[in-house]
Amino acid sequence: MNQFSDEQLIREYYGGQKDAFTELFNRYKLPLFNFARRILGNHADAEDALSEVFMAIATRKYTIESGAKFSTWAYTVTRNACLTCLRKQRHTLSLWRKRDDGQSEEEQWQLPDGSPLQSEQAVSKEKIFAVQTALEMMPMNLKEALILREYQDLSYKEIAEVLGCTLDNVKVLIYRGREFLSNHLRRSDPELFGKEGSL
């Protein structure tokens, strides 16, 4: 079934093929979970948001006739679940905080560059922390657009559909998000990020 499109899998599942649900789950569990975790800042809440998506599929809330791509619909449901969670908490949790087992979520940001020297690792960790801090301070609309583009690799059109705004608005949000990030990094540590605030 892995050669089927998402919409074909939905048809198969609604037709009684339970394996189709498993295939959809395997395709989307990590991208949707990572998106939710970056917005919410912890595993437990991200898992709850993810379960909302697959519960919606199980209860047939997604309809092919609506014309929406499944992936866009899935990110929209995940986003709504995240916003509901944040409203309940009444504050935004920090992104990528340390896990309960004591390990740092920062590990996922490491670039696969072989075996860097300890000094290079230290600089990399400083940059990671600075980026996390900047993202925590970023307005939610900028953060969502930037995460969907830079980490989830969605197209501008898909982001517009997920956020429920125009394509031009998405371009503005992403531009402002990058500008916010660059300015914050440049101000926080000019030596580490240089004049352009580059990573």
Side-chain angles (χ1 to χ4, degrees), residues 10-199:
I10 287 288
R11 286 192 186 93
E12 291 291 317
Y13 173 63
Y14 288 173
Q17 293 292 324
K18 292 185 178 179
D19 288 349
F21 184 89
T22 303
E23 177 64 26
L24 275 172
F25 180 77
N26 289 335
R27 282 184 190 182
Y28 283 94
K29 63 182 178 182
L30 284 178
L32 294 177
F33 174 79
N34 286 333
F35 171 60
R37 184 172 48 77
R38 287 179 173 124
I39 294 295
L40 297 171
N42 66 76
H43 280 63
D45 289 338
E47 286 172 354
D48 288 344
L50 183 65
S51 69
E52 291 281 335
V53 178
F54 291 99
M55 183 63 70
I57 297 169
T59 55
R60 301 185 178 221
K61 290 185 179 174
Y62 172 76
T63 57
I64 298 161
E65 294 75 22
S66 70
K69 269 181 70 177
F70 174 79
S71 58
T72 303
W73 175 85
Y75 274 105
T76 302
V77 173
T78 307
R79 174 186 181 248
N80 291 340
C82 290
L83 294 178
T84 298
C85 180
L86 290 173
R87 278 194 294 270
K88 286 178 181 176
Q89 294 169 346
R90 296 188 182 181
H91 67 279
T92 304
L93 298 171
S94 63
L95 294 174
W96 304 291
R97 68 181 185 187
K98 290 184 183 291
R99 295 187 297 209
D100 294 335
D101 60 10
Q103 295 185 34
S104 172
E105 287 299 311
E106 295 172 2
E107 292 175 0
Q108 68 174 325
W109 288 67
Q110 297 294 335
L111 297 174
D113 57 352
S115 302
L117 299 173
Q118 286 186 349
S119 60
E120 291 174 338
Q121 290 177 331
V123 169
S124 180
K125 286 184 179 179
E126 279 186 61
K127 287 185 176 183
I128 290 164
F129 180 76
V131 170
Q132 291 172 353
T133 302
L135 284 168
E136 288 172 6
M137 298 173 67
M138 191 177 291
M140 181 58 75
N141 60 343
L142 303 185
K143 184 194 304 182
E144 286 178 330
L146 203 59
I147 289 172
L148 286 169
R149 180 62 185 161
E150 301 297 338
Y151 297 102
Q152 304 308 123
D153 202 29
L154 267 64
S155 70
Y156 282 61
K157 181 175 182 291
E158 289 171 322
I159 295 168
E161 291 174 8
V162 171
L163 300 183
C165 62
T166 66
L167 197 59
D168 286 341
N169 197 19
V170 167
K171 292 175 183 177
V172 170
L173 290 173
I174 291 172
Y175 173 80
R176 288 181 179 167
R178 288 172 176 160
E179 188 177 43
F180 181 100
L181 189 61
S182 177
N183 289 339
H184 180 84
L185 294 175
R186 193 167 56 242
R187 285 194 307 269
S188 67
D189 197 328
E191 288 186 21
L192 189 60
F193 294 100
K195 290 184 179 180
E196 299 303 319
S198 63
L199 299 177

